[in-house]
């Protein structure tokens, strides 16, 4: 009775994968996946894959039940109301939740957007060794003696040879009884890639703009993590001044005031110089702003910083301009003017709305750097 | 037989199975030989995902079901203790991890099902070598996959499965209608005459008038002749006979139809079947082959789980076993017949006892002839309804919750019966296979108060089109208005009729 469940299961998974792929654009722009992250997997809600029949609708239909209660008493909640905005088909109850690993998700993303693999620029395979005490051996240094196991062995021997004396239960281990801890060496990959996210948090960047940045970063992150064994992330926010923050703050801060983009670039430069020598690290710089820099002088300063220091040091410098009601969007034009429309050194994208995130990701990662 | 290890019962369990089998036979159960296999939860989930048949054809749906079962097992939402299939010999799969009390209970339960399969009239036409049949189906599908290609076959199986409930559950029991050749059907009866006295007849109804009448009648008969001649419930059969399908398509559709008919009685007798098995396992464990004192608490715990009821749901195990016991009690005490039915005094009714002792006999009669609908229709009475606290609930749109709407016996019974009609599926019939005289297919939904689910109806219509290959229509009622939904291969159209 050899069953073939594995092949049926694979077939099903393939269908699921196809669905995810088909709906990827929607997932990317809706942000459904983020926040559902477990450790290594995301749970993706899909419309239930099912075979349609001529059938009765299950929702809002009455029925017969058994139990206590007066007429008018509640016996259960209805389906959750179709979500706001979501193209709800009212199928709340019957959604299928599939777990997909981040790696698989990145793979799907890569296939769908036809992203090239990245060529590692820094040192290859920098790895660290880690020692873990996992086993027990018969030989070893006294300092690693496993007392409990040694005692047990000695006790066993004493009992089996009959030398154990209940009234005087002294156990003396001999050489053969001794057990020692032993370790295993595992190689830990060491990060050799770093992403520096920079975001303009000046007053003109609204919640929606930040959400777009967050969604974009999530997918950039997902893809880059599959390309490098370890990945470090640094977050910089700036208005007129820049500071480094943690991930949480990065997406939640709302400042007001002017915008001096050069402040962020300078801080990024300092980070790189202090921690990430360009010879060993793959450096990714992403900057998001609504493109409303305070002054022409500062813009000139930015260009200089980029040209002389940041661009040479990094694998990729991407500027994503999020459209906001207040932003003039001048900075993008300035960059284009300075570096030329299709510069190889710098990657520019305009992210008008959520729909455009997918294209931005494609532009950013499409070069395979 | 299965991968890895021996699935035979342990000698201890085998002995228990034999002993319980003997007890069951003494009690009057009539069972197929039963083959037990001891499997772990993974295998049991696999078997359950295959609907009990490890040998089924390859299809993604089993994978989906397996994933769902494994997940709910992992999260502790549900555990399947056993799986039993209607076959001769009967196959039953037991969960290896069950403790001894569970194993005993489950074995007794299996014998209950087995007896039901063998003796219930509604199962009498099912294929008792279905295990082999399923394996044959799988072989056919694999062969076709090699010949035609996996994607084509899988897509077409999806299409057929979408139509699988369009069968006539009563057709296995219908004797073929008396062969009436078409000429026969068209031969007119005597043409209508004007009334006349006998001797006046040839003047009132002259020969040419009669010829005219006859001519008219033949024309009428031709005009009203439809295809199919009477509405056809077995839509799958109609498609097999008349839809333009490739040979391999026919084989697959036929196969799906076979399986549908095989599984239909189980849907028709869910309450009775589970009730019967529960009745017998409880009877065996507590009376016929009683468990020891130390075991009985575990057993009760298990039993409580089996008959637990949730506020919004109806537990077929509970309803089935309680109604069977109710009937047994009534017939034991002679609570039947005209005199009893006409008695209005609840006190007298409650104390009614003629010591008739016919309970057991009645139960066996029920298990032989009834299905869920007839069973509930005949035996669900007002006393039972109140004793077991049944109610109907409705959806309260404003508060987005289900509320108890009535405890009225008649309403409850009506709702329950309509829920079970046609094993819970809408009743659909082919009305016209040459609709609009353009070879289009018209199906009608017999609307009994509940609308079809809209989006799946549209999708199903597409699948129907794929088989029929001409525009398809279904007449139904949507929100109290009679409408016809059509699909012409590219677009859906809904119009009032």
């Amino acid at each position: 009775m050899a069953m073939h469940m594995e092949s049926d299961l694979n077939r099903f998974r393939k269908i699921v994968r196809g669905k995810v792929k088909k709906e990827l654009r929607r997932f990317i722009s809706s942000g459904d996946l983020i926040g559902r992250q477990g450790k290594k997997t995301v749970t993706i809600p899909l419309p239930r894959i099912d075979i349609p029949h001529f059938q009765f609708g299950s929702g809002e239909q009455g029925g017969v039940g058994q139990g206590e209660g007066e007429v008018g008493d509640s016996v259960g909640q209805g389906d959750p109301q179709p979500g706001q905005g979501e193209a709800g088909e009212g199928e709340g109850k019957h959604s299928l939740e599939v777990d997909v690993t981040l790696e698989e998700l990145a793979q799907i993303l890569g296939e769908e957007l036809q992203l090239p693999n990245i060529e590692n620029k820094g040192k290859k395979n920098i790895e660290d060794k880690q020692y873990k005490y996992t086993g027990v051996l018969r030989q070893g240094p006294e300092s690693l003696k496993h007392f409990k196991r040694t005692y047990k062995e000695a006790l066993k021997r004493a009992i089996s040879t009959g030398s154990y004396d209940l009234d005087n239960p002294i156990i003396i281990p001999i050489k053969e009884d001794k057990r020692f801890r032993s370790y295993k060496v595992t190689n830990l990959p060491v990060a050799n890639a770093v992403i520096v996210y920079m975001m303009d948090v000046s007053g003109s960047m609204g919640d929606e703009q930040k959400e777009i940045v967050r969604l974009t970063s999530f997918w950039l992150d997902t893809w880059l993590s599959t390309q490098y064994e370890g990945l470090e992330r640094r977050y910089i926010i700036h208005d007129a001044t820049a500071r480094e923050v943690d991930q949480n703050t990065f997406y939640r801060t709302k400042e007001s005031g002017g915008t001096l983009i050069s402040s962020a670039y300078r801080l990024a430069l300092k980070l790189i110089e202090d921690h990430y020598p360009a010879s060993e690290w793959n450096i990714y710089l992403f900057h998001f702003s609504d493109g409303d820099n305070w002054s022409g002088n500062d813009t000139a300063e930015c260009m200089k910083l980029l040209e002389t220091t940041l661009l040479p040091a990094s694998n990729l410098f991407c500027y994503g301009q999020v459209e906001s009601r207040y932003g003039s969007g001048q900075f993008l034009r300035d960059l284009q003017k300075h570096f030329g429309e299709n510069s190889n050194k710098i990657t520019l994208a305009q992210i008008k709305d959520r729909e455009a995130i997918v294209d931005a990701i494609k532009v950013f990662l499409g070069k395979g750097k | 037989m299965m991968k890895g290890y021996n699935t035979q019962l342990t000698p201890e369990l085998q002995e228990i199975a034999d002993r319980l089998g003997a007890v069951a036979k003494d009690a009057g159960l009539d069972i197929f030989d039963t083959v037990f296999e001891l499997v772990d939860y993974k295998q049991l989930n696999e078997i359950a995902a295959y609907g009990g048949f490890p040998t089924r054809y390859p299809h993604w749906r089993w994978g989906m079901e397996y994933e769902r079962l494994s997940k709910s097992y992992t999260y502790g939402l549900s555990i399947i203790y056993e799986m039993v299939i209607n076959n001769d010999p009967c196959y039953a799969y037991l969960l290896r991890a069950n403790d001894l009390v569970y194993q005993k209970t489950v074995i007794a339960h299996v014998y209950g099902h087995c007896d039901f399969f063998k003796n219930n009239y509604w199962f009498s036409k099912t294929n008792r070598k279905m295990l082999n049949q399923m394996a044959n189906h799988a072989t056919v599908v694999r062969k076709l996959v090699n010949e035609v290609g996996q994607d084509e076959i899988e897509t077409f199986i999806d299409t057929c499965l979408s139509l699988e409930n369009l069968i006539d559950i009563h057709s296995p029991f219908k004797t073929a209608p008396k062969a009436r050749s078409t000429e026969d059907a068209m031969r007119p009866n005597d043409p209508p005459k004007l009334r006349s006295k006998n001797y006046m007849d040839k003047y009132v109804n002259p020969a040419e008038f009669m010829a005219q009448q006859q001519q008219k009648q033949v024309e009428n008969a031709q005009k009203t002749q439809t295809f199919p001649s009477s509405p056809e419930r077995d839509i799958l059969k109609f498609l097999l006979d008349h839809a333009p399908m490739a040979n391999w398509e026919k084989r697959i559709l036929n196969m799906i139809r076979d399986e549908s008919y095989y599984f239909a009685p189980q849907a028709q007798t869910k309450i009775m079947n589970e009730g019967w098995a529960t009745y017998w396992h409880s009877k065996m464990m507590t009376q016929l082959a009683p468990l020891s004192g130390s075991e009985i608490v575990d057993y009760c715990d298990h039993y409580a789980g089996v008959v637990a009821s949730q506020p919004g749901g109806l537990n077929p195990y509970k309803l089935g076993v309680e109604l069977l016991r109710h009937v047994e009690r009534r017939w034991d005490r002679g609570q039947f017949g005209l005199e009893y039915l006409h008695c209005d005094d609840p006190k007298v009714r409650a104390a009614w006892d003629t010591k008739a002792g016919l309970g057991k006999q009645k139960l066996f009669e029920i298990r032989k002839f009834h299905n869920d609908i007839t069973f509930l229709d005949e035996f669900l009475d007002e006393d039972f309804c109140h004793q077991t606290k049944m109610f109907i609930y409705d959806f309260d749109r404003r508060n987005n919750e289900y509320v108890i709407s009535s405890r009225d016996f008649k309403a409850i019974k009506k709702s329950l019966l309509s829920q079970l009609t046609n094993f819970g599926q809408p009743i659909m019939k082919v009305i016209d296979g040459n609709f609009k005289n353009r070879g289009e297919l018209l199906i009608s939904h017999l609307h009994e108060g509940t609308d079809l689910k809209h989006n799946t109806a549209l999708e199903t219509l597409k699948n129907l089109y794929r088989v029929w290959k001409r525009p398809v229509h279904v007449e139904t009622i949507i929100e109290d208005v009679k409408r016809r939904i059509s699909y012409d291969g590219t677009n859906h159209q809904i119009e009032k009729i």
Side-chain angles (χ1 to χ4, degrees):
Chain A
M1 201 185 300
M3 282 188 276
H4 45 90
M5 186 52 81
E6 211 156 296
S7 59
D8 289 331
L9 201 55
N10 282 337
R11 201 72 195 156
F12 168 62
R13 295 225 169 103
K14 229 169 131 184
I15 292 174
V16 167
R17 224 180 113 107
K19 285 254 175 190
V20 174
K21 212 165 148 181
K22 223 170 96 190
E23 308 247 328
L24 190 69
R25 270 173 191 270
R26 192 171 69 75
F27 286 133
I28 288 179
S29 50
S30 73
D32 269 0
L33 302 187
I34 308 173
R36 288 175 172 267
Q37 285 179 71
K39 259 187 171 168
K40 289 254 159 87
T41 59
V42 281
T43 306
I44 301 184
L46 284 177
R48 199 178 133 111
I49 300 171
D50 215 345
I51 293 166
H53 292 111
F54 287 124
Q55 68 203 80
F56 298 124
S58 58
E60 310 196 356
Q61 214 186 330
V64 178
Q66 277 181 300
E68 305 288 344
E70 298 292 317
V71 169
D73 285 0
S74 167
V75 290
Q77 284 294 312
D79 295 345
Q81 298 290 349
Q84 329 92 315
E86 220 20 54
E89 283 161 271
E91 297 252 338
K93 201 157 69 180
H94 294 297
S95 81
L96 175 78
E97 300 217 316
V98 272
D99 294 330
V100 177
T101 61
L102 281 176
E103 273 144 56
E104 209 179 343
L105 196 63
Q107 231 178 39
I108 296 173
L109 179 79
E111 277 170 28
E112 184 65 12
L113 299 185
Q114 300 179 330
L115 299 178
N117 281 325
I118 288 174
E119 210 153 296
N120 195 330
K121 178 193 91 162
K123 265 194 216 165
K124 286 196 178 142
N125 305 326
I126 310 177
E127 280 179 337
D128 211 357
K129 285 188 167 60
Q130 196 195 30
Y131 302 90
K132 239 186 179 172
Y133 290 96
T134 51
V136 172
L137 288 180
R138 282 164 180 273
Q139 276 96 28
E142 275 304 296
S143 58
L144 289 180
K145 190 164 70 189
H146 195 313
F147 182 81
K148 204 168 170 182
R149 294 284 285 266
T150 305
Y151 176 80
K152 260 190 185 168
E153 290 301 321
L155 185 63
K156 262 196 257 175
R157 179 184 45 80
I159 291 169
S160 60
T161 54
S163 64
Y164 184 68
D165 178 8
L166 253 182
D167 301 322
N168 184 26
I170 291 176
I171 300 292
I172 301 165
I174 59 171
K175 189 163 176 275
E176 281 74 27
D177 298 332
K178 289 189 179 168
R179 294 292 182 273
F180 304 90
R181 293 170 202 279
S182 77
Y183 57 80
K184 258 196 188 141
V185 184
T186 43
N187 287 326
L188 279 187
V190 168
N192 65 339
V194 60
I195 310 179
V196 182
Y197 292 106
M198 292 170 271
M199 178 162 55
D200 181 356
V201 289
S202 62
S204 52
M205 290 281 284
D207 285 340
E208 177 63 15
Q209 279 73 29
K210 266 182 230 147
E211 185 63 17
I212 289 176
V213 172
R214 195 165 79 98
L215 294 176
T216 315
S217 324
F218 170 80
W219 290 98
L220 294 172
D221 224 275
T222 305
W223 175 250
L224 288 173
S225 354
T226 61
Q227 298 288 318
Y228 295 104
E229 283 270 5
L231 190 63
E232 282 195 23
R233 297 147 183 100
R234 305 300 280 254
Y235 298 90
I236 293 174
I237 53 175
H238 74 89
D239 44 14
T241 54
R243 62 196 166 101
E244 196 190 348
V245 294
D246 60 25
Q247 187 186 15
N248 205 16
T249 327
F250 185 71
Y251 294 118
R252 304 225 187 306
T253 314
K254 178 142 182 102
E255 313 265 312
S256 54
T259 312
L260 287 176
I261 293 177
S262 66
S263 65
Y265 290 179
R266 239 181 250 119
L267 184 58
L269 184 63
K270 186 162 179 299
L271 266 182
I272 292 171
E273 281 172 349
D274 290 356
H275 302 287
Y276 308 104
S279 55
E280 285 176 21
W281 288 82
N282 292 289
I283 298 166
Y284 290 84
L285 302 171
F286 292 101
H287 179 217
F288 300 95
S289 164
D290 58 0
D292 211 6
N293 206 7
W294 184 251
S295 69
N297 280 347
D298 191 66
T299 302
E301 174 78 18
C302 289
M303 300 301 160
K304 210 180 99 197
L305 273 171
L306 281 173
E307 192 132 41
T308 55
T309 50
L310 284 179
L311 290 182
S314 60
N315 289 35
L316 193 62
F317 179 92
C318 300
Y319 173 70
Q321 184 155 296
V322 209
E323 204 149 285
S324 86
R325 229 182 317 163
Y326 312 103
S328 64
Q330 183 59 36
F331 196 64
L332 183 77
R333 285 194 286 278
D334 292 339
L335 284 171
Q336 277 168 350
K337 213 161 80 189
H338 193 90
F339 292 98
E341 285 268 349
N342 299 314
S343 163
N344 226 353
K345 297 176 195 160
I346 190 163
T347 311
L348 306 172
Q350 204 166 0
I351 316 173
K352 272 195 194 131
D353 49 26
R354 288 175 177 227
E355 301 299 311
I357 293 176
V358 182
D359 302 311
I361 293 170
K362 175 129 179 79
V363 171
F364 285 164
L365 300 175
K367 293 187 175 170
K369 286 202 213 166
Chain B
M1 249 180 359
M2 239 179 261
K3 280 178 278 180
Y5 55 80
N6 187 350
T7 57
Q8 277 181 355
L9 291 188
T10 60
E12 187 192 17
L13 283 175
Q14 189 58 55
E15 197 241 295
I16 290 170
D18 292 344
R19 192 163 47 84
L20 288 175
V23 169
K25 278 176 197 155
D26 284 346
L29 295 185
D30 168 27
I31 53 186
F32 291 127
D33 283 340
T34 307
V35 181
F36 289 97
E37 298 211 33
L38 210 50
V39 296
D40 63 21
Y41 74 92
K42 251 179 148 168
Q43 289 169 323
L44 194 54
N45 282 341
E46 281 185 39
I47 294 166
Y50 284 125
F53 292 90
T55 54
R56 275 185 114 168
Y57 59 85
H59 192 260
W60 59 267
R61 185 171 48 135
W62 320 129
M64 175 167 78
E65 186 60 14
Y66 175 69
E67 187 142 302
R68 195 183 65 75
L69 288 172
S70 321
K71 242 183 217 169
S72 69
Y73 182 87
T74 314
Y75 295 141
L77 299 176
S78 74
I79 301 176
I80 303 169
Y81 296 109
E82 47 80 27
M83 185 87 214
V84 49
I85 59 173
N86 165 28
N87 193 74
D88 180 12
C90 198
Y91 275 84
Y93 304 94
L94 308 183
L95 182 62
R96 187 171 282 264
N98 290 343
D99 66 31
L100 194 59
V101 178
Y102 275 35
Q103 296 294 28
K104 287 181 185 172
T105 310
V106 163
I107 289 170
H109 192 85
V110 163
Y111 285 137
H113 280 307
C114 189
D115 167 77
F116 196 86
F117 288 145
K118 187 173 177 186
N119 295 288
N120 182 269
Y121 178 69
W122 299 92
F123 282 93
S124 60
K125 309 284 180 187
T126 55
N127 185 351
R128 306 297 192 173
K129 296 287 175 203
M130 201 56 188
L131 205 60
N132 299 344
Q133 180 74 30
M134 290 287 190
N136 292 345
H137 288 171
T139 314
V140 170
V141 170
R142 289 213 172 80
K143 195 169 141 266
L144 291 177
V145 163
N146 284 337
E147 285 169 13
V148 185
Q150 180 163 26
D151 289 338
E152 281 83 354
I153 296 293
E154 199 173 67
T155 314
F156 193 72
I157 290 180
D158 289 355
T159 306
C160 296
L161 286 174
S162 170
L163 310 172
E164 71 182 339
N165 59 343
L166 303 178
I167 57 172
D168 178 1
I169 40 175
H170 296 113
S171 80
F173 304 99
K174 283 180 187 160
T175 44
K178 261 185 245 156
R180 259 172 59 146
S181 69
T182 34
E183 277 162 48
D184 233 15
M186 278 173 58
R187 187 187 308 144
N189 303 324
D190 290 338
K193 288 176 173 183
L194 297 175
R195 253 174 54 168
S196 63
K197 298 248 162 64
N198 232 349
Y199 62 92
M200 289 290 283
D201 193 50
K202 60 182 167 184
Y203 303 105
V204 177
N205 296 310
E208 60 264 43
F209 173 74
M210 287 307 291
Q212 225 176 354
Q213 286 290 81
Q214 184 159 2
Q215 179 70 22
K216 222 190 230 167
Q217 203 175 26
V218 170
E219 272 170 22
N220 275 344
Q222 271 168 349
K223 214 184 282 172
T224 54
Q225 212 200 6
T226 53
F227 166 60
S229 53
S230 62
E232 175 64 66
R233 285 270 306 270
D234 192 344
I235 298 180
L236 291 188
K237 181 163 192 321
F238 185 83
L239 292 174
L240 276 172
D241 289 346
H242 303 291
M245 279 188 284
N247 216 4
W248 63 267
E249 291 178 315
K250 274 194 183 168
R251 290 178 80 176
I252 287 181
L253 183 57
N254 199 17
M255 182 188 98
I256 301 287
R257 180 171 169 268
D258 273 0
E259 297 191 2
S260 265
Y261 274 109
Y262 170 79
F263 285 113
Q266 300 189 18
Q268 273 175 286
T269 58
K270 178 86 183 159
I271 295 170
M272 283 186 73
N273 204 342
E274 293 301 354
W276 183 253
T278 308
Y279 174 89
W280 281 103
H281 89 229
S282 119
K283 187 138 188 139
M284 282 197 240
M285 292 299 103
T286 56
Q287 293 170 30
L288 304 176
L291 293 165
S292 71
S294 64
E295 293 172 317
I296 204 77
V297 173
D298 280 346
Y299 166 77
C300 290
D301 184 39
H302 178 242
Y303 186 81
V306 169
V307 297
S309 70
Q310 279 166 340
L314 201 63
N315 179 345
Y317 293 80
K318 177 177 160 73
L319 178 59
V321 71
E322 286 179 351
L323 190 52
L324 283 170
R325 287 197 186 124
H326 178 71
V327 171
E328 186 183 29
R329 198 164 44 240
R330 272 183 60 195
W331 260 258
D332 270 345
R333 301 164 64 115
Q335 295 178 345
F336 55 87
L338 214 53
E339 214 176 320
Y340 175 76
L341 289 179
H342 285 175
C343 170
D344 283 337
D345 186 344
K347 263 191 193 161
V348 179
R349 281 171 77 97
W352 195 289
D353 189 357
T354 62
K355 306 252 182 318
L358 293 172
K360 187 177 167 191
Q361 188 194 333
K362 190 69 187 172
L363 286 190
F364 275 91
E365 185 188 310
I366 290 172
R367 85 92 153 79
K368 190 154 187 63
F369 296 114
H370 283 274
N371 62 27
D372 283 349
I373 289 208
T374 59
F375 176 51
L376 291 177
D377 190 24
E378 188 153 349
F379 299 104
L380 184 75
D381 55 29
E382 195 158 0
D383 294 338
F384 179 79
C385 200
H386 292 320
Q387 277 161 25
T388 57
K389 299 179 179 144
M390 296 173 85
F391 58 77
I392 40 180
Y393 58 89
D394 274 314
F395 187 67
D396 177 359
R397 218 173 270 238
R398 216 171 12 170
N399 297 324
N400 188 36
E401 62 182 8
Y402 293 95
V403 293
I404 298 177
S405 56
S406 167
R407 284 190 182 270
D408 175 51
F409 165 64
K410 277 191 181 143
I412 290 170
K413 188 157 175 176
K414 189 175 163 224
S415 164
L416 199 52
L417 290 178
S418 78
Q419 225 172 305
L420 294 169
T421 299
N422 196 35
F423 63 107
Q425 305 294 324
I427 298 178
M428 317 285 290
K429 291 174 184 172
V430 177
I431 300 292
D432 195 346
N434 187 23
F435 185 53
K436 295 180 181 166
N437 200 20
R438 290 201 298 216
E440 300 179 4
L441 183 66
L442 176 65
I443 286 179
S444 143
H445 165 222
L446 181 65
H447 194 282
E448 291 184 313
T450 314
D451 286 2
L452 291 178
K453 197 171 170 191
H454 192 66
N455 52 353
T456 60
L458 296 186
E459 287 302 309
T460 312
L461 217 48
K462 278 188 192 171
N463 287 328
L464 196 57
Y465 174 86
R466 225 181 256 171
V467 176
W468 188 248
K469 300 186 178 70
R470 293 279 307 143
V472 285
H473 313 264
V474 58
E475 282 179 3
T476 180
I477 294 174
I478 305 172
E479 287 168 354
D480 301 326
V481 183
K482 215 168 172 212
R483 289 174 210 266
R484 181 164 55 227
I485 314 176
S486 307
Y487 181 71
D488 63 3
T490 44
N491 288 311
H492 284 104
Q493 213 182 0
I494 302 174
E495 55 189 342
K496 268 191 205 176
I497 47 173

